[in-house]
mmCIF file of all heavy atoms in Angstrom:
data_model
loop_
_atom_site.group_PDB
_atom_site.id
_atom_site.type_symbol
_atom_site.label_atom_id
_atom_site.label_comp_id
_atom_site.label_asym_id
_atom_site.label_seq_id
_atom_site.Cartn_x
_atom_site.Cartn_y
_atom_site.Cartn_z
ATOM 1 N N CYS F 1 -41.936 -94.630 26.966
ATOM 2 C CA CYS F 1 -40.551 -95.069 27.131
ATOM 3 C C CYS F 1 -39.894 -95.259 25.770
ATOM 4 O O CYS F 1 -40.381 -96.040 24.960
ATOM 5 C CB CYS F 1 -40.521 -96.381 27.915
ATOM 6 S SG CYS F 1 -38.901 -97.141 28.062
ATOM 7 N N PRO F 2 -38.769 -94.580 25.518
ATOM 8 C CA PRO F 2 -38.098 -94.701 24.217
ATOM 9 C C PRO F 2 -36.974 -95.737 24.218
ATOM 10 O O PRO F 2 -35.854 -95.459 23.789
ATOM 11 C CB PRO F 2 -37.550 -93.290 24.012
ATOM 12 C CG PRO F 2 -37.192 -92.839 25.384
ATOM 13 C CD PRO F 2 -38.171 -93.493 26.322
ATOM 14 N N VAL F 3 -37.275 -96.941 24.724
ATOM 15 C CA VAL F 3 -36.278 -98.014 24.773
ATOM 16 C C VAL F 3 -36.818 -99.203 23.972
ATOM 17 O O VAL F 3 -37.859 -99.769 24.312
ATOM 18 C CB VAL F 3 -35.972 -98.442 26.222
ATOM 19 C CG1 VAL F 3 -34.991 -99.614 26.241
ATOM 20 C CG2 VAL F 3 -35.407 -97.261 27.020
ATOM 21 N N LYS F 4 -36.103 -99.580 22.933
ATOM 22 C CA LYS F 4 -36.605 -100.561 21.972
ATOM 23 C C LYS F 4 -36.926 -101.908 22.606
ATOM 24 O O LYS F 4 -37.992 -102.488 22.364
ATOM 25 C CB LYS F 4 -35.582 -100.742 20.853
ATOM 26 C CG LYS F 4 -36.089 -101.566 19.678
ATOM 27 C CD LYS F 4 -35.144 -101.501 18.500
ATOM 28 C CE LYS F 4 -35.727 -102.177 17.268
ATOM 29 N NZ LYS F 4 -34.867 -102.039 16.081
ATOM 30 N N GLU F 5 -36.015 -102.426 23.432
ATOM 31 C CA GLU F 5 -36.224 -103.766 23.986
ATOM 32 C C GLU F 5 -37.369 -103.809 24.996
ATOM 33 O O GLU F 5 -37.829 -104.887 25.378
ATOM 34 C CB GLU F 5 -34.945 -104.290 24.635
ATOM 35 C CG GLU F 5 -34.380 -103.453 25.762
ATOM 36 C CD GLU F 5 -33.382 -102.415 25.285
ATOM 37 O OE1 GLU F 5 -33.450 -102.005 24.109
ATOM 38 O OE2 GLU F 5 -32.525 -102.013 26.109
ATOM 39 N N ALA F 6 -37.857 -102.642 25.428
ATOM 40 C CA ALA F 6 -38.932 -102.594 26.416
ATOM 41 C C ALA F 6 -40.316 -102.419 25.792
ATOM 42 O O ALA F 6 -41.320 -102.555 26.490
ATOM 43 C CB ALA F 6 -38.674 -101.468 27.413
ATOM 44 N N TYR F 7 -40.381 -102.125 24.501
ATOM 45 C CA TYR F 7 -41.678 -101.839 23.887
ATOM 46 C C TYR F 7 -42.635 -103.022 24.066
ATOM 47 O O TYR F 7 -42.311 -104.156 23.691
ATOM 48 C CB TYR F 7 -41.497 -101.516 22.404
ATOM 49 C CG TYR F 7 -42.775 -101.123 21.706
ATOM 50 C CD1 TYR F 7 -43.533 -100.040 22.151
ATOM 51 C CD2 TYR F 7 -43.243 -101.839 20.599
ATOM 52 C CE1 TYR F 7 -44.710 -99.675 21.516
ATOM 53 C CE2 TYR F 7 -44.418 -101.473 19.952
ATOM 54 C CZ TYR F 7 -45.141 -100.392 20.420
ATOM 55 O OH TYR F 7 -46.318 -100.044 19.783
ATOM 56 N N PRO F 8 -43.827 -102.800 24.638
ATOM 57 C CA PRO F 8 -44.752 -103.918 24.917
ATOM 58 C C PRO F 8 -45.276 -104.614 23.671
ATOM 59 O O PRO F 8 -45.719 -105.763 23.737
ATOM 60 C CB PRO F 8 -45.902 -103.239 25.672
ATOM 61 C CG PRO F 8 -45.341 -101.957 26.174
ATOM 62 C CD PRO F 8 -44.328 -101.527 25.161
ATOM 63 N N GLY F 9 -45.290 -103.920 22.536
ATOM 64 C CA GLY F 9 -45.837 -104.477 21.306
ATOM 65 C C GLY F 9 -47.067 -103.719 20.864
ATOM 66 O O GLY F 9 -47.817 -103.171 21.674
ATOM 67 N N ASP F 10 -47.285 -103.695 19.572
ATOM 68 C CA ASP F 10 -48.402 -102.924 19.011
ATOM 69 C C ASP F 10 -49.759 -103.362 19.547
ATOM 70 O O ASP F 10 -50.693 -102.562 19.607
ATOM 71 C CB ASP F 10 -48.394 -103.042 17.486
ATOM 72 C CG ASP F 10 -47.336 -102.168 16.831
ATOM 73 O OD1 ASP F 10 -46.601 -101.457 17.550
ATOM 74 O OD2 ASP F 10 -47.234 -102.202 15.587
ATOM 75 N N ALA F 11 -49.873 -104.613 19.947
ATOM 76 C CA ALA F 11 -51.155 -105.121 20.433
ATOM 77 C C ALA F 11 -51.542 -104.537 21.794
ATOM 78 O O ALA F 11 -52.684 -104.692 22.232
ATOM 79 C CB ALA F 11 -51.105 -106.647 20.536
ATOM 80 N N TYR F 12 -50.591 -103.857 22.450
ATOM 81 C CA TYR F 12 -50.839 -103.324 23.791
ATOM 82 C C TYR F 12 -50.788 -101.799 23.851
ATOM 83 O O TYR F 12 -50.961 -101.224 24.921
ATOM 84 C CB TYR F 12 -49.801 -103.878 24.769
ATOM 85 C CG TYR F 12 -49.862 -105.379 24.937
ATOM 86 C CD1 TYR F 12 -49.153 -106.221 24.088
ATOM 87 C CD2 TYR F 12 -50.637 -105.959 25.936
ATOM 88 C CE1 TYR F 12 -49.208 -107.603 24.232
ATOM 89 C CE2 TYR F 12 -50.704 -107.329 26.087
ATOM 90 C CZ TYR F 12 -49.990 -108.148 25.230
ATOM 91 O OH TYR F 12 -50.054 -109.510 25.369
ATOM 92 N N VAL F 13 -50.544 -101.159 22.736
ATOM 93 C CA VAL F 13 -50.260 -99.716 22.754
ATOM 94 C C VAL F 13 -51.110 -98.983 21.724
ATOM 95 O O VAL F 13 -51.283 -99.454 20.598
ATOM 96 C CB VAL F 13 -48.757 -99.467 22.474
ATOM 97 C CG1 VAL F 13 -48.476 -97.976 22.329
ATOM 98 C CG2 VAL F 13 -47.890 -100.082 23.567
ATOM 99 N N ASP F 14 -51.623 -97.812 22.140
ATOM 100 C CA ASP F 14 -52.325 -96.926 21.212
ATOM 101 C C ASP F 14 -51.466 -95.726 20.826
ATOM 102 O O ASP F 14 -51.457 -95.311 19.674
ATOM 103 C CB ASP F 14 -53.625 -96.417 21.844
ATOM 104 C CG ASP F 14 -54.648 -97.516 22.036
ATOM 105 O OD1 ASP F 14 -54.907 -98.268 21.072
ATOM 106 O OD2 ASP F 14 -55.188 -97.643 23.156
ATOM 107 N N ILE F 15 -50.776 -95.165 21.810
ATOM 108 C CA ILE F 15 -49.954 -93.973 21.597
ATOM 109 C C ILE F 15 -48.570 -94.209 22.178
ATOM 110 O O ILE F 15 -48.433 -94.748 23.285
ATOM 111 C CB ILE F 15 -50.601 -92.736 22.258
ATOM 112 C CG1 ILE F 15 -51.909 -92.384 21.546
ATOM 113 C CG2 ILE F 15 -49.655 -91.539 22.261
ATOM 114 C CD1 ILE F 15 -52.679 -91.254 22.196
ATOM 115 N N VAL F 16 -47.543 -93.834 21.434
ATOM 116 C CA VAL F 16 -46.173 -93.880 21.953
ATOM 117 C C VAL F 16 -45.789 -92.456 22.344
ATOM 118 O O VAL F 16 -46.174 -91.486 21.677
ATOM 119 C CB VAL F 16 -45.182 -94.457 20.923
ATOM 120 C CG1 VAL F 16 -45.495 -95.926 20.665
ATOM 121 C CG2 VAL F 16 -45.192 -93.675 19.617
ATOM 122 N N SER F 17 -45.048 -92.332 23.437
ATOM 123 C CA SER F 17 -44.783 -90.990 23.952
ATOM 124 C C SER F 17 -43.444 -90.922 24.658
ATOM 125 O O SER F 17 -42.842 -91.938 25.020
ATOM 126 C CB SER F 17 -45.899 -90.567 24.909
ATOM 127 O OG SER F 17 -45.840 -91.311 26.112
ATOM 128 N N MET F 18 -43.000 -89.676 24.860
ATOM 129 C CA MET F 18 -41.779 -89.391 25.605
ATOM 130 C C MET F 18 -42.037 -88.248 26.575
ATOM 131 O O MET F 18 -42.901 -87.406 26.344
ATOM 132 C CB MET F 18 -40.643 -88.957 24.662
ATOM 133 C CG MET F 18 -40.046 -90.030 23.808
ATOM 134 S SD MET F 18 -38.700 -89.376 22.763
ATOM 135 C CE MET F 18 -37.398 -89.105 23.987
ATOM 136 N N ASP F 19 -41.267 -88.233 27.657
ATOM 137 C CA ASP F 19 -41.192 -87.080 28.543
ATOM 138 C C ASP F 19 -39.834 -86.435 28.299
ATOM 139 O O ASP F 19 -38.805 -87.122 28.359
ATOM 140 C CB ASP F 19 -41.308 -87.501 30.005
ATOM 141 C CG ASP F 19 -42.691 -88.039 30.359
ATOM 142 O OD1 ASP F 19 -43.541 -88.115 29.448
ATOM 143 O OD2 ASP F 19 -42.906 -88.379 31.530
ATOM 144 N N ILE F 20 -39.819 -85.134 28.047
ATOM 145 C CA ILE F 20 -38.571 -84.449 27.705
ATOM 146 C C ILE F 20 -38.411 -83.203 28.565
ATOM 147 O O ILE F 20 -39.253 -82.295 28.529
ATOM 148 C CB ILE F 20 -38.526 -84.048 26.210
ATOM 149 C CG1 ILE F 20 -38.762 -85.272 25.321
ATOM 150 C CG2 ILE F 20 -37.192 -83.386 25.879
ATOM 151 C CD1 ILE F 20 -38.898 -84.942 23.842
ATOM 152 N N TYR F 21 -37.323 -83.179 29.337
ATOM 153 C CA TYR F 21 -36.979 -82.021 30.152
ATOM 154 C C TYR F 21 -35.568 -81.581 29.786
ATOM 155 O O TYR F 21 -34.585 -82.174 30.232
ATOM 156 C CB TYR F 21 -37.075 -82.368 31.643
ATOM 157 C CG TYR F 21 -38.503 -82.551 32.110
ATOM 158 C CD1 TYR F 21 -39.122 -83.796 32.047
ATOM 159 C CD2 TYR F 21 -39.236 -81.478 32.591
ATOM 160 C CE1 TYR F 21 -40.438 -83.963 32.453
ATOM 161 C CE2 TYR F 21 -40.554 -81.633 33.015
ATOM 162 C CZ TYR F 21 -41.153 -82.879 32.937
ATOM 163 O OH TYR F 21 -42.454 -83.038 33.343
ATOM 164 N N LEU F 22 -35.473 -80.579 28.950
ATOM 165 C CA LEU F 22 -34.180 -80.053 28.538
ATOM 166 C C LEU F 22 -33.548 -79.282 29.692
ATOM 167 O O LEU F 22 -34.243 -78.631 30.475
ATOM 168 C CB LEU F 22 -34.345 -79.121 27.336
ATOM 169 C CG LEU F 22 -34.991 -79.722 26.079
ATOM 170 C CD1 LEU F 22 -35.180 -78.636 25.019
ATOM 171 C CD2 LEU F 22 -34.159 -80.861 25.529
ATOM 172 N N SER F 23 -32.233 -79.358 29.795
ATOM 173 C CA SER F 23 -31.542 -78.654 30.880
ATOM 174 C C SER F 23 -31.577 -77.142 30.682
ATOM 175 O O SER F 23 -31.555 -76.374 31.647
ATOM 176 C CB SER F 23 -30.093 -79.137 30.984
ATOM 177 O OG SER F 23 -29.426 -78.995 29.743
ATOM 178 N N ASN F 24 -31.648 -76.720 29.432
ATOM 179 C CA ASN F 24 -31.749 -75.298 29.107
ATOM 180 C C ASN F 24 -32.706 -75.119 27.933
ATOM 181 O O ASN F 24 -32.874 -76.027 27.113
ATOM 182 C CB ASN F 24 -30.387 -74.712 28.734
ATOM 183 C CG ASN F 24 -29.413 -74.741 29.896
ATOM 184 O OD1 ASN F 24 -29.581 -74.022 30.879
ATOM 185 N ND2 ASN F 24 -28.395 -75.584 29.788
#
């Protein structure tokens, strides 16, 4: 999830990621 206020914190995360579906 690329939303700053939602980030769980470094103590809970190993990898940060996004899902990207371009329209074209």
Side-chain angles (χ1 to χ4, degrees):
C1 174
V3 177
K4 189 169 187 176
E5 59 269 25
Y7 184 58
D10 283 0
Y12 297 88
V13 173
D14 292 311
I15 293 175
V16 294
S17 70
M18 288 181 72
D19 292 2
I20 305 173
Y21 289 89
L22 302 176
S23 55
N24 296 291

